[in-house]
Amino acid sequence: MPITRSSSPLLNRRRTQHRYSVSLSRIVGHGSYCCFALYRWSPKMKKLVLLGALALSVLSMQAFAEGKPLKIGIEAAYPPFASKAPDGNIVGFDYDIGNALCEEMKVKCTWVEQEFDGLIPALKVRKIDAILSSMSITDDRKKSVDFTNRYYLTPARLVLKEGTTVSDSLDELKGKKIGVQRGSIHDRFAKEVLAPKGATVVPYSSQNEIYLDVEAGRLDGTVADATLLQEGFLDTAAGKGYAFTGPAFTDSKYFGDGIGIAVRKGDKENLDRINAAITAIRANGKYKAIQDKYFNFDIYGPDAK
């Protein structure tokens, strides 16, 4: 009578021995083996195996979390906050602050370059996870995104030919061509406040393009963040012969409550951890070290009273 696999005691015994000689690596890696084999082992061995499996599980989840980068959108044409170095790398205050925040949060930063007016659309379609590009916290933008606490606060100013006088009424702007960055808070402000005074408002894709046309005489001036104008234009050769004029603009209707980092609506996880990181780098001195690299004043601004 032939011996079949189901009826052979020897084969059955070998199959049973093989079944219970599962290696630790297979038990940890394949949960389906684990419960089947553990009852053959001593209580001490069972405990060691379960602890090992738990440790590997935790490490795997940690590796997965750390392996997912935070994609940050930035416009690298806004010195000294963000621009391109001769080697093609991004440099600037915003870039350094972002890297310090990612280091504090223990996540990898992936920087995604985008023109400013395309940043919020990119956030909405999940091309990026956050916007760190000198974006003002305004009520209008809050309809589309959630903002962190501010990470700096500066007023807006006008720059025109040195010696040009502009009073608080702004009547002297009649007939002046003023360049603004398209999609910025200064764009809206210029169209709603300066244009009714007789100024011609000309939108551009980047502030650097505005500087070129001011220098070439195609524009009379520009309105933008005061720090940006000082560092990016007035302190350069192109800005010779130009100066701040008129009042400092701080109306929260247009200029909001400072500069913040935008995340998608309802993204509480990223909002909370970025806010915590901002607080941490302000407390541990990293923020001040970055600030002092670019500015000789407190760019964070006064705390609310």
Side-chain angles (χ1 to χ4, degrees):
M1 178 178 177
I3 299 176
T4 64
R5 291 186 63 183
S6 59
S7 61
S8 170
L10 179 60
L11 286 176
N12 284 339
R13 185 167 61 253
R14 287 177 178 174
R15 289 170 62 194
T16 301
Q17 289 172 347
H18 174 72
R19 185 179 298 168
Y20 295 127
S21 62
V22 181
S23 67
L24 177 60
S25 63
R26 292 181 71 183
I27 291 170
V28 172
H30 303 278
S32 60
Y33 289 101
C34 182
C35 295
F36 194 74
L38 279 179
Y39 82 93
R40 299 276 299 182
W41 294 356
S42 67
K44 184 177 181 181
M45 181 61 75
K46 290 178 185 178
K47 185 176 180 181
L48 287 173
V49 170
L50 289 173
L51 287 174
L54 179 61
L56 280 180
S57 176
V58 170
L59 288 172
S60 296
M61 288 188 292
Q62 182 179 356
F64 176 78
E66 292 179 351
K68 185 179 180 182
L70 185 70
K71 295 177 289 185
I72 304 176
I74 191 169
E75 185 210 23
Y78 203 68
F81 298 97
S83 59
K84 285 293 193 71
D87 62 5
N89 290 323
I90 303 173
V91 295
F93 178 78
D94 281 350
Y95 180 72
D96 288 356
I97 287 292
N99 286 329
L101 293 174
C102 284
E103 181 181 358
E104 185 67 34
M105 294 185 291
K106 295 179 173 56
V107 297
K108 180 184 177 181
C109 281
T110 298
W111 292 92
V112 180
E113 291 184 59
Q114 179 81 45
E115 286 192 357
F116 190 82
D117 59 357
L119 285 169
I120 289 180
L123 182 66
K124 287 183 173 181
V125 299
R126 298 180 179 271
K127 182 179 177 182
I128 55 178
D129 302 309
I131 299 170
L132 204 167
S133 194
S134 290
M135 183 169 282
S136 296
I137 304 167
T138 66
D139 289 338
D140 189 51
R141 286 181 177 145
K142 286 178 183 178
K143 297 173 185 176
S144 300
V145 300
D146 287 339
F147 278 102
T148 65
N149 300 329
R150 81 169 196 258
Y151 67 97
Y152 78 85
L153 174 66
T154 54
R157 295 293 306 272
L158 274 166
V159 163
L160 293 166
K161 276 284 188 181
E162 202 167 25
T164 304
T165 300
V166 176
S167 64
D168 289 352
S169 70
L170 306 177
D171 291 336
E172 296 84 354
L173 293 178
K174 185 176 181 179
K176 302 289 187 186
K177 292 179 70 175
I178 305 297
V180 293
Q181 184 171 16
R182 185 182 295 110
S184 68
I185 54 172
H186 310 99
D187 185 358
R188 180 189 172 204
F189 171 76
K191 288 174 180 174
E192 294 185 9
V193 177
L194 306 187
K197 296 294 182 178
T200 299
V201 178
V202 186
Y204 286 77
S205 294
S206 74
Q207 196 66 34
N208 285 340
E209 292 174 343
I210 295 172
Y211 297 152
L212 291 173
D213 275 8
V214 170
E215 185 182 14
R218 289 185 285 270
L219 291 171
D220 294 299
T222 182
V223 61
D225 179 88
T227 305
L228 167 78
L229 292 171
Q230 183 70 59
E231 304 283 336
F233 184 64
L234 295 177
D235 288 348
T236 70
K240 187 177 181 181
Y242 289 86
F244 287 128
T245 187
F249 303 115
T250 57
D251 187 345
S252 61
K253 174 183 176 181
Y254 297 102
F255 304 107
D257 303 311
I259 306 299
I261 300 167
V263 299
R264 275 183 294 279
K265 273 285 185 186
D267 186 0
K268 191 173 186 301
E269 180 183 356
N270 277 325
L271 190 71
D272 288 349
R273 68 174 177 167
I274 294 173
N275 271 333
I278 292 172
T279 300
I281 66 170
R282 289 269 300 152
N284 64 23
K286 289 181 181 179
Y287 181 96
K288 188 176 186 306
I290 295 169
Q291 169 191 276
D292 293 348
K293 179 179 173 181
Y294 296 97
F295 312 111
N296 59 3
F297 61 93
D298 178 14
I299 194 171
Y300 186 79
D303 291 323
K305 295 181 180 180

